Amino acid sequence: MGGGSGPPDKLNGQYLGNWGNFGTSTLGLDPSRNKSLKALLRHGICSPTQKGIVSYAISANRQRPLAGAAYAAVFNTWRRFRAQALYFIPPFTIAYLAMDWAIKKNEYYNSKAGRMADAQAAEEATGGGPVRG
């Protein structure tokens, strides 16, 4: 671990000052010559400049946050649809066929041919006599 004042601690690394003050500027002053800066460092008001910490950045105009988004949207949507298709296509197909059958049967029963067939079936069932309920 880099930076810090004092010997490294095996458990926690090196002491860099209080929380929230990591790398707070010492304004380029040398703590060995400046007594007030020495006191600030000792009380944790500011910490020594950190060493060994590397950060990398790319400028905002070089980033491509939507790179490949349209391609991924199409193929990811297809992949997810394909994975779920067997869960919803068969029930919808069965429901559609059942409704189609029920609508056609209802239209037949309410047509002239359906009413005549129903009357003929009732006559055959009762043998031409009155229906007793």
Side-chain angles (χ1 to χ4, degrees), residues 73-123:
V74 170
F75 290 101
N76 191 39
T77 302
W78 172 249
R79 179 188 58 82
R80 293 175 67 182
F81 172 81
R82 190 182 66 213
Q84 295 295 317
L86 289 177
Y87 292 106
F88 73 89
I89 290 176
F92 278 115
T93 303
I94 291 169
Y96 175 80
L97 293 174
M99 281 299 295
D100 188 50
W101 172 83
I103 289 170
K104 288 180 180 175
K105 196 76 164 171
N106 185 44
E107 288 174 356
Y108 172 74
Y109 282 150
N110 289 318
S111 69
K112 188 174 184 179
R115 290 180 188 269
M116 288 176 65
D118 187 41
Q120 187 178 12
E123 188 176 319

mmCIF file of all heavy atoms in Angstrom, residues 73-123:
data_model
loop_
_atom_site.group_PDB
_atom_site.id
_atom_site.type_symbol
_atom_site.label_atom_id
_atom_site.label_comp_id
_atom_site.label_asym_id
_atom_site.label_seq_id
_atom_site.Cartn_x
_atom_site.Cartn_y
_atom_site.Cartn_z
ATOM 1 N N ALA A 73 -30.569 -4.794 -28.289
ATOM 2 C CA ALA A 73 -32.004 -4.746 -28.019
ATOM 3 C C ALA A 73 -32.751 -5.738 -28.897
ATOM 4 O O ALA A 73 -33.625 -6.463 -28.425
ATOM 5 C CB ALA A 73 -32.533 -3.336 -28.240
ATOM 6 N N VAL A 74 -32.405 -5.796 -30.166
ATOM 7 C CA VAL A 74 -33.095 -6.710 -31.083
ATOM 8 C C VAL A 74 -32.828 -8.161 -30.697
ATOM 9 O O VAL A 74 -33.757 -8.952 -30.520
ATOM 10 C CB VAL A 74 -32.664 -6.453 -32.544
ATOM 11 C CG1 VAL A 74 -33.168 -7.541 -33.469
ATOM 12 C CG2 VAL A 74 -33.141 -5.085 -32.994
ATOM 13 N N PHE A 75 -31.576 -8.525 -30.553
ATOM 14 C CA PHE A 75 -31.247 -9.920 -30.314
ATOM 15 C C PHE A 75 -31.556 -10.357 -28.892
ATOM 16 O O PHE A 75 -31.947 -11.500 -28.657
ATOM 17 C CB PHE A 75 -29.798 -10.200 -30.695
ATOM 18 C CG PHE A 75 -29.610 -10.147 -32.185
ATOM 19 C CD1 PHE A 75 -29.056 -9.035 -32.788
ATOM 20 C CD2 PHE A 75 -30.041 -11.192 -32.979
ATOM 21 C CE1 PHE A 75 -28.914 -8.972 -34.161
ATOM 22 C CE2 PHE A 75 -29.905 -11.144 -34.350
ATOM 23 C CZ PHE A 75 -29.341 -10.029 -34.952
ATOM 24 N N ASN A 76 -31.438 -9.449 -27.931
ATOM 25 C CA ASN A 76 -31.790 -9.799 -26.561
ATOM 26 C C ASN A 76 -33.300 -9.972 -26.437
ATOM 27 O O ASN A 76 -33.777 -10.867 -25.741
ATOM 28 C CB ASN A 76 -31.293 -8.732 -25.591
ATOM 29 C CG ASN A 76 -31.403 -9.181 -24.164
ATOM 30 O OD1 ASN A 76 -31.153 -10.336 -23.843
ATOM 31 N ND2 ASN A 76 -31.781 -8.271 -23.291
ATOM 32 N N THR A 77 -34.066 -9.119 -27.128
ATOM 33 C CA THR A 77 -35.525 -9.257 -27.108
ATOM 34 C C THR A 77 -35.930 -10.588 -27.730
ATOM 35 O O THR A 77 -36.797 -11.288 -27.189
ATOM 36 C CB THR A 77 -36.184 -8.086 -27.863
ATOM 37 O OG1 THR A 77 -35.773 -6.866 -27.247
ATOM 38 C CG2 THR A 77 -37.685 -8.194 -27.835
ATOM 39 N N TRP A 78 -35.326 -10.948 -28.839
ATOM 40 C CA TRP A 78 -35.642 -12.231 -29.479
ATOM 41 C C TRP A 78 -35.275 -13.402 -28.570
ATOM 42 O O TRP A 78 -36.041 -14.347 -28.431
ATOM 43 C CB TRP A 78 -34.930 -12.360 -30.821
ATOM 44 C CG TRP A 78 -35.077 -13.730 -31.395
ATOM 45 C CD1 TRP A 78 -34.119 -14.671 -31.540
ATOM 46 C CD2 TRP A 78 -36.290 -14.330 -31.862
ATOM 47 N NE1 TRP A 78 -34.645 -15.815 -32.073
ATOM 48 C CE2 TRP A 78 -35.993 -15.638 -32.288
ATOM 49 C CE3 TRP A 78 -37.604 -13.886 -31.963
ATOM 50 C CZ2 TRP A 78 -36.936 -16.493 -32.794
ATOM 51 C CZ3 TRP A 78 -38.552 -14.757 -32.480
ATOM 52 C CH2 TRP A 78 -38.221 -16.033 -32.882
ATOM 53 N N ARG A 79 -34.129 -13.334 -27.922
ATOM 54 C CA ARG A 79 -33.695 -14.415 -27.027
ATOM 55 C C ARG A 79 -34.674 -14.577 -25.870
ATOM 56 O O ARG A 79 -35.073 -15.693 -25.525
ATOM 57 C CB ARG A 79 -32.293 -14.110 -26.490
ATOM 58 C CG ARG A 79 -31.764 -15.160 -25.528
ATOM 59 C CD ARG A 79 -30.467 -14.724 -24.873
ATOM 60 N NE ARG A 79 -30.589 -13.485 -24.145
ATOM 61 C CZ ARG A 79 -31.070 -13.392 -22.898
ATOM 62 N NH1 ARG A 79 -31.491 -14.468 -22.271
ATOM 63 N NH2 ARG A 79 -31.122 -12.230 -22.284
ATOM 64 N N ARG A 80 -35.096 -13.467 -25.272
ATOM 65 C CA ARG A 80 -36.024 -13.541 -24.149
ATOM 66 C C ARG A 80 -37.403 -14.018 -24.598
ATOM 67 O O ARG A 80 -38.057 -14.778 -23.889
ATOM 68 C CB ARG A 80 -36.116 -12.173 -23.471
ATOM 69 C CG ARG A 80 -34.797 -11.795 -22.801
ATOM 70 C CD ARG A 80 -34.838 -10.418 -22.233
ATOM 71 N NE ARG A 80 -35.788 -10.376 -21.129
ATOM 72 C CZ ARG A 80 -36.069 -9.278 -20.451
ATOM 73 N NH1 ARG A 80 -35.482 -8.154 -20.750
ATOM 74 N NH2 ARG A 80 -36.942 -9.311 -19.480
ATOM 75 N N PHE A 81 -37.855 -13.559 -25.767
ATOM 76 C CA PHE A 81 -39.141 -14.000 -26.298
ATOM 77 C C PHE A 81 -39.130 -15.504 -26.546
ATOM 78 O O PHE A 81 -40.064 -16.219 -26.169
ATOM 79 C CB PHE A 81 -39.454 -13.253 -27.600
ATOM 80 C CG PHE A 81 -40.670 -13.783 -28.307
ATOM 81 C CD1 PHE A 81 -41.927 -13.414 -27.907
ATOM 82 C CD2 PHE A 81 -40.532 -14.662 -29.371
ATOM 83 C CE1 PHE A 81 -43.058 -13.914 -28.547
ATOM 84 C CE2 PHE A 81 -41.642 -15.159 -30.025
ATOM 85 C CZ PHE A 81 -42.906 -14.790 -29.604
ATOM 86 N N ARG A 82 -38.058 -15.989 -27.161
ATOM 87 C CA ARG A 82 -37.947 -17.404 -27.483
ATOM 88 C C ARG A 82 -37.944 -18.254 -26.212
ATOM 89 O O ARG A 82 -38.528 -19.334 -26.167
ATOM 90 C CB ARG A 82 -36.672 -17.644 -28.292
ATOM 91 C CG ARG A 82 -36.582 -19.025 -28.884
ATOM 92 C CD ARG A 82 -35.291 -19.226 -29.634
ATOM 93 N NE ARG A 82 -34.195 -19.175 -28.674
ATOM 94 C CZ ARG A 82 -32.997 -18.703 -28.936
ATOM 95 N NH1 ARG A 82 -32.723 -18.228 -30.127
ATOM 96 N NH2 ARG A 82 -32.069 -18.695 -28.022
ATOM 97 N N ALA A 83 -37.301 -17.749 -25.162
ATOM 98 C CA ALA A 83 -37.237 -18.503 -23.910
ATOM 99 C C ALA A 83 -38.604 -18.592 -23.226
ATOM 100 O O ALA A 83 -38.882 -19.567 -22.525
ATOM 101 C CB ALA A 83 -36.227 -17.857 -22.965
ATOM 102 N N GLN A 84 -39.466 -17.602 -23.433
ATOM 103 C CA GLN A 84 -40.759 -17.580 -22.761
ATOM 104 C C GLN A 84 -41.909 -18.067 -23.643
ATOM 105 O O GLN A 84 -43.039 -18.203 -23.157
ATOM 106 C CB GLN A 84 -41.065 -16.153 -22.295
ATOM 107 C CG GLN A 84 -40.103 -15.634 -21.243
ATOM 108 C CD GLN A 84 -40.194 -16.420 -19.953
ATOM 109 O OE1 GLN A 84 -41.271 -16.744 -19.498
ATOM 110 N NE2 GLN A 84 -39.047 -16.753 -19.383
ATOM 111 N N ALA A 85 -41.663 -18.316 -24.912
ATOM 112 C CA ALA A 85 -42.737 -18.616 -25.860
ATOM 113 C C ALA A 85 -43.558 -19.835 -25.453
ATOM 114 O O ALA A 85 -44.789 -19.814 -25.536
ATOM 115 C CB ALA A 85 -42.157 -18.805 -27.258
ATOM 116 N N LEU A 86 -42.913 -20.900 -24.996
ATOM 117 C CA LEU A 86 -43.657 -22.113 -24.648
ATOM 118 C C LEU A 86 -44.502 -21.945 -23.393
ATOM 119 O O LEU A 86 -45.341 -22.805 -23.095
ATOM 120 C CB LEU A 86 -42.701 -23.290 -24.477
ATOM 121 C CG LEU A 86 -42.078 -23.780 -25.780
ATOM 122 C CD1 LEU A 86 -41.088 -24.906 -25.508
ATOM 123 C CD2 LEU A 86 -43.143 -24.244 -26.751
ATOM 124 N N TYR A 87 -44.304 -20.867 -22.655
ATOM 125 C CA TYR A 87 -45.121 -20.630 -21.472
ATOM 126 C C TYR A 87 -46.426 -19.907 -21.806
ATOM 127 O O TYR A 87 -47.373 -19.992 -21.037
ATOM 128 C CB TYR A 87 -44.349 -19.812 -20.429
ATOM 129 C CG TYR A 87 -43.213 -20.581 -19.824
ATOM 130 C CD1 TYR A 87 -41.904 -20.303 -20.180
ATOM 131 C CD2 TYR A 87 -43.442 -21.596 -18.908
ATOM 132 C CE1 TYR A 87 -40.847 -21.013 -19.626
ATOM 133 C CE2 TYR A 87 -42.405 -22.313 -18.354
ATOM 134 C CZ TYR A 87 -41.106 -22.013 -18.719
ATOM 135 O OH TYR A 87 -40.075 -22.717 -18.185
ATOM 136 N N PHE A 88 -46.472 -19.160 -22.893
ATOM 137 C CA PHE A 88 -47.704 -18.422 -23.174
ATOM 138 C C PHE A 88 -48.365 -18.775 -24.497
ATOM 139 O O PHE A 88 -49.574 -18.595 -24.630
ATOM 140 C CB PHE A 88 -47.478 -16.905 -23.070
ATOM 141 C CG PHE A 88 -46.702 -16.301 -24.181
ATOM 142 C CD1 PHE A 88 -47.333 -15.842 -25.328
ATOM 143 C CD2 PHE A 88 -45.332 -16.159 -24.089
ATOM 144 C CE1 PHE A 88 -46.614 -15.273 -26.351
ATOM 145 C CE2 PHE A 88 -44.609 -15.585 -25.105
ATOM 146 C CZ PHE A 88 -45.251 -15.148 -26.240
ATOM 147 N N ILE A 89 -47.660 -19.304 -25.478
ATOM 148 C CA ILE A 89 -48.294 -19.625 -26.763
ATOM 149 C C ILE A 89 -49.297 -20.784 -26.637
ATOM 150 O O ILE A 89 -50.432 -20.641 -27.101
ATOM 151 C CB ILE A 89 -47.231 -19.877 -27.850
ATOM 152 C CG1 ILE A 89 -46.547 -18.559 -28.204
ATOM 153 C CG2 ILE A 89 -47.863 -20.496 -29.091
ATOM 154 C CD1 ILE A 89 -45.421 -18.696 -29.202
ATOM 155 N N PRO A 90 -48.963 -21.932 -26.032
ATOM 156 C CA PRO A 90 -49.954 -23.012 -25.928
ATOM 157 C C PRO A 90 -51.235 -22.618 -25.171
ATOM 158 O O PRO A 90 -52.329 -22.896 -25.655
ATOM 159 C CB PRO A 90 -49.195 -24.132 -25.215
ATOM 160 C CG PRO A 90 -47.768 -23.896 -25.565
ATOM 161 C CD PRO A 90 -47.633 -22.394 -25.601
ATOM 162 N N PRO A 91 -51.155 -21.957 -24.007
ATOM 163 C CA PRO A 91 -52.407 -21.569 -23.346
ATOM 164 C C PRO A 91 -53.248 -20.608 -24.182
ATOM 165 O O PRO A 91 -54.478 -20.734 -24.228
ATOM 166 C CB PRO A 91 -51.955 -20.901 -22.047
ATOM 167 C CG PRO A 91 -50.590 -21.391 -21.800
ATOM 168 C CD PRO A 91 -50.003 -21.673 -23.130
ATOM 169 N N PHE A 92 -52.611 -19.647 -24.853
ATOM 170 C CA PHE A 92 -53.366 -18.723 -25.690
ATOM 171 C C PHE A 92 -53.983 -19.445 -26.892
ATOM 172 O O PHE A 92 -55.099 -19.132 -27.299
ATOM 173 C CB PHE A 92 -52.491 -17.560 -26.165
ATOM 174 C CG PHE A 92 -52.367 -16.464 -25.147
ATOM 175 C CD1 PHE A 92 -51.140 -16.176 -24.574
ATOM 176 C CD2 PHE A 92 -53.469 -15.725 -24.769
ATOM 177 C CE1 PHE A 92 -51.025 -15.174 -23.641
ATOM 178 C CE2 PHE A 92 -53.356 -14.713 -23.837
ATOM 179 C CZ PHE A 92 -52.133 -14.438 -23.260
ATOM 180 N N THR A 93 -53.268 -20.407 -27.440
ATOM 181 C CA THR A 93 -53.796 -21.167 -28.573
ATOM 182 C C THR A 93 -55.014 -21.987 -28.136
ATOM 183 O O THR A 93 -56.041 -22.004 -28.825
ATOM 184 C CB THR A 93 -52.708 -22.090 -29.150
ATOM 185 O OG1 THR A 93 -51.585 -21.295 -29.517
ATOM 186 C CG2 THR A 93 -53.205 -22.859 -30.354
ATOM 187 N N ILE A 94 -54.901 -22.646 -26.993
ATOM 188 C CA ILE A 94 -56.021 -23.440 -26.480
ATOM 189 C C ILE A 94 -57.220 -22.543 -26.182
ATOM 190 O O ILE A 94 -58.365 -22.873 -26.521
ATOM 191 C CB ILE A 94 -55.583 -24.236 -25.234
ATOM 192 C CG1 ILE A 94 -54.591 -25.327 -25.653
ATOM 193 C CG2 ILE A 94 -56.777 -24.829 -24.509
ATOM 194 C CD1 ILE A 94 -53.890 -25.994 -24.508
ATOM 195 N N ALA A 95 -56.977 -21.401 -25.567
ATOM 196 C CA ALA A 95 -58.073 -20.474 -25.259
ATOM 197 C C ALA A 95 -58.717 -19.956 -26.543
ATOM 198 O O ALA A 95 -59.952 -19.846 -26.627
ATOM 199 C CB ALA A 95 -57.555 -19.311 -24.415
ATOM 200 N N TYR A 96 -57.913 -19.638 -27.548
ATOM 201 C CA TYR A 96 -58.462 -19.158 -28.816
ATOM 202 C C TYR A 96 -59.319 -20.229 -29.482
ATOM 203 O O TYR A 96 -60.432 -19.948 -29.953
ATOM 204 C CB TYR A 96 -57.330 -18.726 -29.760
ATOM 205 C CG TYR A 96 -57.838 -18.332 -31.119
ATOM 206 C CD1 TYR A 96 -58.392 -17.084 -31.329
ATOM 207 C CD2 TYR A 96 -57.798 -19.233 -32.184
ATOM 208 C CE1 TYR A 96 -58.890 -16.726 -32.577
ATOM 209 C CE2 TYR A 96 -58.295 -18.893 -33.426
ATOM 210 C CZ TYR A 96 -58.838 -17.634 -33.621
ATOM 211 O OH TYR A 96 -59.336 -17.288 -34.844
ATOM 212 N N LEU A 97 -58.828 -21.457 -29.521
ATOM 213 C CA LEU A 97 -59.585 -22.540 -30.152
ATOM 214 C C LEU A 97 -60.882 -22.824 -29.393
ATOM 215 O O LEU A 97 -61.933 -23.084 -30.001
ATOM 216 C CB LEU A 97 -58.727 -23.796 -30.258
ATOM 217 C CG LEU A 97 -57.543 -23.688 -31.224
ATOM 218 C CD1 LEU A 97 -56.670 -24.936 -31.131
ATOM 219 C CD2 LEU A 97 -58.018 -23.461 -32.643
ATOM 220 N N ALA A 98 -60.829 -22.787 -28.054
ATOM 221 C CA ALA A 98 -62.036 -23.007 -27.263
ATOM 222 C C ALA A 98 -63.067 -21.911 -27.518
ATOM 223 O O ALA A 98 -64.263 -22.189 -27.669
ATOM 224 C CB ALA A 98 -61.679 -23.080 -25.775
ATOM 225 N N MET A 99 -62.629 -20.659 -27.570
ATOM 226 C CA MET A 99 -63.557 -19.558 -27.830
ATOM 227 C C MET A 99 -64.117 -19.647 -29.245
ATOM 228 O O MET A 99 -65.312 -19.384 -29.458
ATOM 229 C CB MET A 99 -62.861 -18.204 -27.634
ATOM 230 C CG MET A 99 -62.738 -17.793 -26.192
ATOM 231 S SD MET A 99 -64.319 -17.616 -25.361
ATOM 232 C CE MET A 99 -65.027 -16.249 -26.242
ATOM 233 N N ASP A 100 -63.281 -20.006 -30.204
ATOM 234 C CA ASP A 100 -63.749 -20.142 -31.583
ATOM 235 C C ASP A 100 -64.811 -21.232 -31.676
ATOM 236 O O ASP A 100 -65.861 -21.052 -32.307
ATOM 237 C CB ASP A 100 -62.560 -20.453 -32.497
ATOM 238 C CG ASP A 100 -62.939 -20.415 -33.959
ATOM 239 O OD1 ASP A 100 -63.567 -19.422 -34.380
ATOM 240 O OD2 ASP A 100 -62.612 -21.390 -34.682
ATOM 241 N N TRP A 101 -64.575 -22.373 -31.017
ATOM 242 C CA TRP A 101 -65.550 -23.464 -31.013
ATOM 243 C C TRP A 101 -66.853 -23.007 -30.353
ATOM 244 O O TRP A 101 -67.948 -23.277 -30.863
ATOM 245 C CB TRP A 101 -64.969 -24.668 -30.272
ATOM 246 C CG TRP A 101 -65.977 -25.751 -30.050
ATOM 247 C CD1 TRP A 101 -66.343 -26.710 -30.932
ATOM 248 C CD2 TRP A 101 -66.759 -25.951 -28.879
ATOM 249 N NE1 TRP A 101 -67.316 -27.512 -30.372
ATOM 250 C CE2 TRP A 101 -67.581 -27.060 -29.112
ATOM 251 C CE3 TRP A 101 -66.837 -25.302 -27.648
ATOM 252 C CZ2 TRP A 101 -68.473 -27.542 -28.165
ATOM 253 C CZ3 TRP A 101 -67.728 -25.776 -26.709
ATOM 254 C CH2 TRP A 101 -68.545 -26.883 -26.968
ATOM 255 N N ALA A 102 -66.754 -22.307 -29.197
ATOM 256 C CA ALA A 102 -67.952 -21.875 -28.477
ATOM 257 C C ALA A 102 -68.754 -20.858 -29.290
ATOM 258 O O ALA A 102 -69.993 -20.925 -29.316
ATOM 259 C CB ALA A 102 -67.559 -21.280 -27.125
ATOM 260 N N ILE A 103 -68.100 -19.954 -29.981
ATOM 261 C CA ILE A 103 -68.808 -18.952 -30.796
ATOM 262 C C ILE A 103 -69.537 -19.635 -31.951
ATOM 263 O O ILE A 103 -70.711 -19.348 -32.222
ATOM 264 C CB ILE A 103 -67.819 -17.870 -31.294
ATOM 265 C CG1 ILE A 103 -67.374 -16.994 -30.135
ATOM 266 C CG2 ILE A 103 -68.440 -17.030 -32.396
ATOM 267 C CD1 ILE A 103 -66.221 -16.063 -30.457
ATOM 268 N N LYS A 104 -68.855 -20.562 -32.630
ATOM 269 C CA LYS A 104 -69.501 -21.272 -33.752
ATOM 270 C C LYS A 104 -70.676 -22.118 -33.272
ATOM 271 O O LYS A 104 -71.727 -22.164 -33.911
ATOM 272 C CB LYS A 104 -68.476 -22.135 -34.479
ATOM 273 C CG LYS A 104 -67.501 -21.319 -35.298
ATOM 274 C CD LYS A 104 -66.497 -22.201 -35.992
ATOM 275 C CE LYS A 104 -65.538 -21.344 -36.802
ATOM 276 N NZ LYS A 104 -64.473 -22.127 -37.399
ATOM 277 N N LYS A 105 -70.519 -22.785 -32.130
ATOM 278 C CA LYS A 105 -71.596 -23.608 -31.581
ATOM 279 C C LYS A 105 -72.783 -22.728 -31.187
ATOM 280 O O LYS A 105 -73.948 -23.089 -31.448
ATOM 281 C CB LYS A 105 -71.059 -24.357 -30.358
ATOM 282 C CG LYS A 105 -71.897 -25.492 -29.918
ATOM 283 C CD LYS A 105 -71.701 -26.665 -30.840
ATOM 284 C CE LYS A 105 -72.229 -27.906 -30.158
ATOM 285 N NZ LYS A 105 -72.276 -29.029 -31.066
ATOM 286 N N ASN A 106 -72.512 -21.563 -30.590
ATOM 287 C CA ASN A 106 -73.572 -20.637 -30.198
ATOM 288 C C ASN A 106 -74.309 -20.106 -31.430
ATOM 289 O O ASN A 106 -75.543 -20.009 -31.429
ATOM 290 C CB ASN A 106 -72.989 -19.494 -29.382
ATOM 291 C CG ASN A 106 -74.060 -18.571 -28.849
ATOM 292 O OD1 ASN A 106 -75.084 -19.036 -28.353
ATOM 293 N ND2 ASN A 106 -73.839 -17.278 -28.970
ATOM 294 N N GLU A 107 -73.566 -19.776 -32.469
ATOM 295 C CA GLU A 107 -74.206 -19.300 -33.699
ATOM 296 C C GLU A 107 -75.072 -20.395 -34.322
ATOM 297 O O GLU A 107 -76.159 -20.128 -34.842
ATOM 298 C CB GLU A 107 -73.152 -18.813 -34.696
ATOM 299 C CG GLU A 107 -72.504 -17.505 -34.298
ATOM 300 C CD GLU A 107 -71.361 -17.104 -35.211
ATOM 301 O OE1 GLU A 107 -71.020 -17.899 -36.125
ATOM 302 O OE2 GLU A 107 -70.814 -16.012 -35.011
ATOM 303 N N TYR A 108 -74.613 -21.633 -34.267
ATOM 304 C CA TYR A 108 -75.404 -22.749 -34.812
ATOM 305 C C TYR A 108 -76.695 -22.938 -34.006
ATOM 306 O O TYR A 108 -77.775 -23.101 -34.568
ATOM 307 C CB TYR A 108 -74.571 -24.028 -34.816
ATOM 308 C CG TYR A 108 -75.378 -25.246 -35.185
ATOM 309 C CD1 TYR A 108 -75.765 -25.460 -36.508
ATOM 310 C CD2 TYR A 108 -75.775 -26.168 -34.222
ATOM 311 C CE1 TYR A 108 -76.523 -26.581 -36.863
ATOM 312 C CE2 TYR A 108 -76.520 -27.283 -34.561
ATOM 313 C CZ TYR A 108 -76.888 -27.475 -35.882
ATOM 314 O OH TYR A 108 -77.637 -28.574 -36.233
ATOM 315 N N TYR A 109 -76.569 -22.946 -32.657
ATOM 316 C CA TYR A 109 -77.758 -23.144 -31.814
ATOM 317 C C TYR A 109 -78.793 -22.037 -32.010
ATOM 318 O O TYR A 109 -79.985 -22.274 -31.850
ATOM 319 C CB TYR A 109 -77.375 -23.222 -30.339
ATOM 320 C CG TYR A 109 -76.793 -24.544 -29.920
ATOM 321 C CD1 TYR A 109 -75.867 -24.622 -28.888
ATOM 322 C CD2 TYR A 109 -77.173 -25.732 -30.527
ATOM 323 C CE1 TYR A 109 -75.339 -25.820 -28.486
ATOM 324 C CE2 TYR A 109 -76.651 -26.945 -30.136
ATOM 325 C CZ TYR A 109 -75.734 -26.990 -29.118
ATOM 326 O OH TYR A 109 -75.210 -28.190 -28.721
ATOM 327 N N ASN A 110 -78.341 -20.827 -32.328
ATOM 328 C CA ASN A 110 -79.262 -19.707 -32.506
ATOM 329 C C ASN A 110 -79.662 -19.508 -33.963
ATOM 330 O O ASN A 110 -80.332 -18.532 -34.283
ATOM 331 C CB ASN A 110 -78.658 -18.423 -31.939
ATOM 332 C CG ASN A 110 -78.615 -18.468 -30.425
ATOM 333 O OD1 ASN A 110 -79.565 -18.907 -29.791
ATOM 334 N ND2 ASN A 110 -77.497 -18.051 -29.860
ATOM 335 N N SER A 111 -79.300 -20.431 -34.838
ATOM 336 C CA SER A 111 -79.719 -20.347 -36.247
ATOM 337 C C SER A 111 -80.964 -21.212 -36.456
ATOM 338 O O SER A 111 -81.357 -22.000 -35.595
ATOM 339 C CB SER A 111 -78.591 -20.809 -37.167
ATOM 340 O OG SER A 111 -78.394 -22.206 -37.010
ATOM 341 N N LYS A 112 -81.570 -21.060 -37.634
ATOM 342 C CA LYS A 112 -82.768 -21.835 -37.963
ATOM 343 C C LYS A 112 -82.465 -23.336 -37.979
ATOM 344 O O LYS A 112 -83.220 -24.145 -37.425
ATOM 345 C CB LYS A 112 -83.298 -21.389 -39.325
ATOM 346 C CG LYS A 112 -84.623 -21.981 -39.695
ATOM 347 C CD LYS A 112 -85.107 -21.365 -40.989
ATOM 348 C CE LYS A 112 -86.504 -21.884 -41.322
ATOM 349 N NZ LYS A 112 -87.005 -21.297 -42.559
ATOM 350 N N ALA A 113 -81.349 -23.707 -38.565
ATOM 351 C CA ALA A 113 -80.972 -25.124 -38.644
ATOM 352 C C ALA A 113 -80.729 -25.699 -37.255
ATOM 353 O O ALA A 113 -81.127 -26.835 -36.956
ATOM 354 C CB ALA A 113 -79.736 -25.275 -39.512
ATOM 355 N N GLY A 114 -80.115 -24.948 -36.391
ATOM 356 C CA GLY A 114 -79.837 -25.414 -35.028
ATOM 357 C C GLY A 114 -81.102 -25.591 -34.232
ATOM 358 O O GLY A 114 -81.252 -26.558 -33.473
ATOM 359 N N ARG A 115 -82.038 -24.668 -34.360
ATOM 360 C CA ARG A 115 -83.306 -24.774 -33.631
ATOM 361 C C ARG A 115 -84.118 -25.975 -34.129
ATOM 362 O O ARG A 115 -84.741 -26.679 -33.333
ATOM 363 C CB ARG A 115 -84.098 -23.490 -33.772
ATOM 364 C CG ARG A 115 -83.476 -22.326 -33.009
ATOM 365 C CD ARG A 115 -84.302 -21.066 -33.181
ATOM 366 N NE ARG A 115 -83.624 -19.916 -32.618
ATOM 367 C CZ ARG A 115 -83.785 -19.516 -31.357
ATOM 368 N NH1 ARG A 115 -84.580 -20.165 -30.556
ATOM 369 N NH2 ARG A 115 -83.129 -18.462 -30.926
ATOM 370 N N MET A 116 -84.102 -26.207 -35.456
ATOM 371 C CA MET A 116 -84.832 -27.351 -35.993
ATOM 372 C C MET A 116 -84.205 -28.666 -35.519
ATOM 373 O O MET A 116 -84.922 -29.611 -35.156
ATOM 374 C CB MET A 116 -84.863 -27.300 -37.523
ATOM 375 C CG MET A 116 -85.778 -26.216 -38.061
ATOM 376 S SD MET A 116 -85.747 -26.066 -39.834
ATOM 377 C CE MET A 116 -86.432 -27.616 -40.348
ATOM 378 N N ALA A 117 -82.874 -28.730 -35.481
ATOM 379 C CA ALA A 117 -82.193 -29.937 -35.022
ATOM 380 C C ALA A 117 -82.475 -30.170 -33.549
ATOM 381 O O ALA A 117 -82.665 -31.322 -33.110
ATOM 382 C CB ALA A 117 -80.696 -29.813 -35.270
ATOM 383 N N ASP A 118 -82.529 -29.112 -32.762
ATOM 384 C CA ASP A 118 -82.803 -29.235 -31.333
ATOM 385 C C ASP A 118 -84.230 -29.727 -31.113
ATOM 386 O O ASP A 118 -84.473 -30.596 -30.266
ATOM 387 C CB ASP A 118 -82.582 -27.884 -30.643
ATOM 388 C CG ASP A 118 -82.690 -27.994 -29.135
ATOM 389 O OD1 ASP A 118 -82.172 -28.986 -28.587
ATOM 390 O OD2 ASP A 118 -83.294 -27.094 -28.514
ATOM 391 N N ALA A 119 -85.181 -29.187 -31.883
ATOM 392 C CA ALA A 119 -86.579 -29.625 -31.751
ATOM 393 C C ALA A 119 -86.719 -31.086 -32.170
ATOM 394 O O ALA A 119 -87.443 -31.863 -31.524
ATOM 395 C CB ALA A 119 -87.475 -28.732 -32.605
ATOM 396 N N GLN A 120 -86.038 -31.480 -33.219
ATOM 397 C CA GLN A 120 -86.106 -32.858 -33.687
ATOM 398 C C GLN A 120 -85.491 -33.811 -32.661
ATOM 399 O O GLN A 120 -86.019 -34.888 -32.398
ATOM 400 C CB GLN A 120 -85.378 -32.996 -35.023
ATOM 401 C CG GLN A 120 -85.541 -34.348 -35.661
ATOM 402 C CD GLN A 120 -84.832 -34.414 -37.005
ATOM 403 O OE1 GLN A 120 -84.053 -33.528 -37.350
ATOM 404 N NE2 GLN A 120 -85.095 -35.465 -37.746
ATOM 405 N N ALA A 121 -84.390 -33.399 -32.031
ATOM 406 C CA ALA A 121 -83.740 -34.228 -31.021
ATOM 407 C C ALA A 121 -84.630 -34.365 -29.797
ATOM 408 O O ALA A 121 -84.723 -35.447 -29.190
ATOM 409 C CB ALA A 121 -82.394 -33.627 -30.636
ATOM 410 N N ALA A 122 -85.331 -33.306 -29.435
ATOM 411 C CA ALA A 122 -86.228 -33.368 -28.285
ATOM 412 C C ALA A 122 -87.409 -34.281 -28.580
ATOM 413 O O ALA A 122 -87.866 -35.043 -27.703
ATOM 414 C CB ALA A 122 -86.709 -31.968 -27.917
ATOM 415 N N GLU A 123 -87.900 -34.251 -29.804
ATOM 416 C CA GLU A 123 -89.036 -35.102 -30.183
ATOM 417 C C GLU A 123 -88.634 -36.572 -30.162
ATOM 418 O O GLU A 123 -89.389 -37.432 -29.684
ATOM 419 C CB GLU A 123 -89.529 -34.717 -31.573
ATOM 420 C CG GLU A 123 -90.810 -35.407 -31.961
ATOM 421 C CD GLU A 123 -91.321 -34.928 -33.301
ATOM 422 O OE1 GLU A 123 -91.251 -33.716 -33.550
ATOM 423 O OE2 GLU A 123 -91.766 -35.781 -34.077
#
